[in-house]
Amino acid sequence: MAPNLRKAVLEEQGLRPFTSNTITDQGQLSHEILVSARSGVFTEQEQYRPEVCCAAVLVDQGRTGAIGLSSSAGRWPQLNRVLVAQLTNRASDLA
């Protein structure tokens, strides 16, 4: 879907709140995506499902793909750095 069409759909339909942590403000979502793109790691904490946190890293082999992981929210604070480091390493292995 073309970027302008995606933007029009978002403006028309808005962002559905799946949990109380879901980002529903388009400006805040754009900011989160830009910050994540700079680091190369996209994370979310209980935005789609309660008690679940996720991370993803883009993999580029001439075409972009991604690998990701999910973790329980209870374990995320102590494991996220290790999990994200391992995820980043695996993405590098695939590139």
Side-chain angles (χ1 to χ4, degrees):
M1 185 181 296
N4 288 338
L5 182 55
R6 279 191 295 257
K7 184 177 179 183
V9 169
L10 279 178
E11 288 173 357
E12 179 182 306
Q13 296 182 4
L15 296 167
R16 177 179 167 200
F18 293 96
T19 72
S20 61
N21 292 332
T22 302
I23 296 172
T24 57
D25 177 79
Q26 292 178 31
Q28 183 182 358
L29 179 61
S30 293
H31 174 76
E32 291 278 330
I33 291 171
L34 287 173
V35 168
S36 295
R38 283 188 205 120
S39 72
V41 179
F42 298 81
T43 62
E44 66 89 8
Q45 296 181 26
E46 300 181 88
Q47 290 187 36
Y48 184 64
R49 291 278 185 250
E51 298 300 317
V52 177
C53 298
C54 300
V57 176
L58 296 177
V59 178
D60 190 357
Q61 293 180 326
R63 57 182 182 237
T64 300
I67 59 172
L69 59 83
S70 59
S71 170
S72 69
R75 298 191 71 199
W76 187 253
Q78 66 263 34
L79 291 178
N80 75 51
R81 290 174 195 239
V82 171
L83 292 173
V84 168
Q86 290 178 357
L87 183 64
T88 303
N89 288 338
R90 297 301 75 79
S92 293
D93 292 345
L94 293 172

